[in-house]
Amino acid sequence: MIVAFDIIILVFLVIAAIISLSVKDLLAAAMVFGIYGFLICLLWAEMGAVDVAFTEATVGAGVSTVLIVATILNTRRKSTD
Amino acid sequence: METFFKEAVVPHFNFWIYVIIMMIGLWSVIAKNNLIKKLIGLSIFQTAILLLYVSLGVKEGATIPIIDHHAAELSLAGDAAAINPDAIANPVPHVLMLTAIVVGVATLGVALALCQVIYKDFGTLEEDEVLQKIKALHDDV
Amino acid sequence: MKAKIFASIAVAITGAVLLYAVTDFPNFGDPRSPANAGVEGGSPSASLYYIENTYRDTKVPNLVTAILADYRGYDTLFETVVIFTAGMAIFAILRVLRNENAPSAPSPDPEASNRTIDGDHHRIIVGITCRIAVPLVQIFALYVVAHGHHSPGGGFQGGVMLGASFILIALSGSLRDALARFSEASYIRLASIGILIYAGVAFLPLVFGRNFVDYGALKGLLGTDGEEMARSHGIFGVELGVAFTVMSIMFAIFANLSTRGRLKGGL
């Protein structure tokens, strides 16, 4: 647990969450959501939860982004908000 | 003011940020119009809750929950002090949240499949347009 | 607009209550908090028992793996079943609930679906690179499953990585290539086999007159020195089952979502 590292990642987390929810292009939103997942993974590794960090790296930053992109490409990429 | 800052804000800084992330997710689930955006918001809400749980198991200056072989053999030989519980992070929240993440992505897949069916039937993923079309269908009948 | 005002009010009230409630939490990183050490004068936290006794009970140094597959075996068994059910639900939603008389059955947005079809030769560099990477990913995933006792990893992580390696084949080449290696019949079969392996390993101790998921009873069957090593091997069997199910379901979800359930074309 390193407090400075903690604070930096948490600030980036909030920024990534806000960006991924405010972009109008859904593909960009999915990519920023992948970044969000990777930041969460870093935060978990920093808290000592290595197994959870490993799972998040494969699932949150990898598979869930791919699934969202697959759906977006099969539906519509533009969003009104 | 200073004591409030020292006793309430500094030790709970992390938890406050988690609440902020949680509220960002909740706001988007209610207010966003696009269904994919709602799902991303829901996932952000979920990660905030997972963070809250794992944070409860953090110990200041503790290491990861893997026992090193030397200490483990010593404790098997009868040395009770070989493993110091205060120096190893609490593993129970990790276990609970690990399975929750994988189940979370499987249920996200179900939600995305529902989105595709909605798009196929209504030609849009915007909530208000879907509601309008449902209303028009009911008026026809 | 109305939804946004309502959302802002709801979020403000909920957020204020939560921010106030959080100040009553134990301090972040406090080793003496109730979750870490138990209540003062009451019973100690279960986590202390796990930290002190897991190695003695199971010979597994990674506490998370041991708790996941042994102490909390029921929990993980049904989490795996939830994943399996989610995969089956996607089949049901995309295949069975197809409403052919929908008012408008639009094709995907042409701008978004500007993508190449099977057998495209323009992506040869990506294709060859991923073809080299896939076996390495799979070997590493098997290592993660098998070495989960001693390092971070285990069935869930290794399973997701194995599934991701097939997704990589589908993304870099075509879904047809991936389905030729891991067809629909085989991934449904493998997902069921994974759960059967888990439930079977958990059920075996009942035959020897012990409790469900008490792998120590497999001592005679596995020919190990003591019950501890039998538990360690039982955990490995369980992780293998989890890995099979998670791998199959992850690939099944991707294959169905990327083709709207038709398993033709794809990204």
Side-chain angles (χ1 to χ4, degrees):
Chain A
M1 199 182 100
I2 309 150
V3 174
F5 198 47
D6 215 34
I7 293 170
I8 293 170
I9 296 176
L10 284 170
V11 170
F12 273 118
L13 262 185
V14 175
I15 295 172
I18 291 172
I19 290 177
S20 86
L21 288 170
S22 56
V23 195
K24 282 202 164 50
D25 187 348
L26 285 178
L27 202 59
M31 284 305 146
V32 180
F33 184 61
I35 295 172
Y36 176 87
F38 203 76
L39 285 171
I40 290 263
C41 159
L42 283 181
L43 192 58
W44 268 321
E46 184 261 347
M47 280 183 192
V50 274
D51 280 84
V52 188
F54 200 162
T55 318
E56 183 70 35
T58 52
V59 167
V63 174
S64 72
T65 310
V66 170
L67 293 184
I68 294 176
V69 169
T71 302
I72 290 166
L73 294 189
N74 272 310
T75 55
R76 195 182 289 273
R77 189 170 156 182
K78 293 273 180 292
S79 155
T80 52
D81 59 0
Chain B
M1 187 66 206
E2 208 189 321
T3 51
F4 171 78
F5 193 75
K6 253 184 196 155
E7 283 169 14
V9 177
V10 172
H12 301 107
F13 174 79
N14 282 49
F15 297 115
W16 283 34
I17 302 274
Y18 303 158
V19 170
I20 290 170
I21 296 173
M22 209 185 281
M23 288 306 116
I24 291 172
L26 181 63
W27 190 84
S28 71
V29 171
I30 303 173
K32 287 285 172 186
N33 200 22
N34 189 288
L35 294 178
I36 304 270
K37 278 284 176 70
K38 275 182 197 280
L39 283 180
I40 293 178
L42 207 58
S43 300
I44 287 173
F45 194 111
Q46 185 200 15
T47 51
I49 290 168
L50 304 185
L51 279 171
L52 193 68
Y53 261 86
V54 173
S55 295
L56 293 177
V58 173
K59 294 175 188 169
E60 181 91 52
T63 180
I64 58 175
I66 296 176
I67 297 172
D68 105 271
H69 277 273
H70 182 66
E73 292 301 335
L74 274 182
S75 87
L76 271 193
D79 181 2
I83 299 174
N84 176 15
D86 284 351
I88 292 174
N90 187 347
V92 180
H94 301 180
V95 175
L96 302 177
M97 294 310 113
L98 194 155
T99 49
I101 291 173
V102 185
V103 170
V105 76
T107 46
L108 177 72
V110 176
L112 290 170
L114 285 172
C115 280
Q116 293 196 0
V117 173
I118 288 171
Y119 186 78
K120 195 159 142 285
D121 283 3
F122 297 103
T124 176
L125 280 179
E126 307 295 327
E127 193 191 13
D128 51 352
E129 292 172 27
V130 171
L131 287 174
Q132 257 173 20
K133 288 195 177 174
I134 291 176
K135 203 155 171 281
L137 274 181
H138 279 285
D139 289 348
D140 284 352
V141 172
Chain C
M1 204 56 223
K2 220 193 284 174
K4 280 193 179 148
I5 295 168
F6 172 72
S8 306
I9 295 170
V11 163
I13 294 173
T14 321
V17 171
L18 282 176
L19 283 179
Y20 173 69
V22 147
T23 51
D24 276 347
F25 269 41
N27 291 352
F28 181 67
D30 179 12
R32 300 258 71 92
S33 71
N36 290 336
V39 190
E40 204 80 36
S43 58
S45 164
S47 66
L48 294 180
Y49 174 84
Y50 293 142
I51 291 171
E52 280 160 6
N53 295 304
T54 296
Y55 192 78
R56 188 170 303 130
D57 287 347
T58 61
K59 291 258 187 195
V60 176
N62 187 350
L63 301 176
V64 175
T65 305
I67 298 172
L68 184 84
D70 192 326
Y71 294 108
R72 297 188 63 87
Y74 272 111
D75 187 15
T76 314
L77 171 58
F78 288 103
E79 300 268 14
T80 318
V81 175
V82 168
I83 293 167
F84 181 76
T85 314
M88 293 302 115
I90 288 172
F91 280 103
I93 290 165
L94 288 176
R95 303 274 185 83
V96 184
L97 299 181
R98 296 181 88 165
N99 183 6
E100 298 300 338
N101 304 323
S104 59
S107 59
D109 191 8
E111 193 190 336
S113 60
N114 181 18
R115 57 191 191 223
T116 45
I117 318 294
D118 288 359
D120 182 9
H121 297 288
H122 292 102
R123 293 189 289 177
I124 195 156
I125 296 174
V126 177
I128 298 283
T129 315
C130 292
R131 194 162 285 222
I132 295 167
V134 163
L136 298 176
V137 171
Q138 287 179 341
I139 289 172
F140 181 62
L142 288 175
Y143 162 78
V144 167
V145 175
H147 207 255
H149 288 45
H150 297 269
S151 62
F156 284 104
Q157 293 92 330
V160 174
M161 282 176 76
L162 280 171
S165 72
F166 287 106
I167 292 176
L168 185 60
I169 297 176
L171 284 177
S172 64
S174 66
L175 189 67
R176 206 175 46 189
D177 288 346
L179 282 173
R181 287 163 176 79
F182 197 26
S183 69
E184 182 164 34
S186 57
Y187 63 63
I188 292 177
R189 210 172 287 148
L190 208 57
S192 322
I193 287 174
I195 289 187
L196 278 180
I197 290 176
Y198 195 144
V201 172
F203 184 80
L204 266 182
L206 282 179
V207 178
F208 295 97
R210 300 276 287 272
N211 286 331
F212 197 68
V213 301
D214 186 1
Y215 316 123
L218 306 177
K219 186 176 72 166
L221 197 70
L222 296 167
T224 53
D225 293 341
E227 294 203 345
E228 298 82 25
M229 276 321 281
R231 290 206 183 92
S232 177
H233 293 321
I235 289 171
F236 176 67
V238 161
E239 297 272 12
L240 212 58
V242 171
F244 280 156
T245 302
V246 172
M247 164 180 81
S248 316
I249 294 300
M250 286 299 146
F251 182 64
I253 291 176
F254 172 79
N256 280 289
L257 277 184
S258 67
T259 58
R260 289 181 286 158
R262 289 168 309 178
L263 296 184
K264 271 196 223 110
L267 295 182

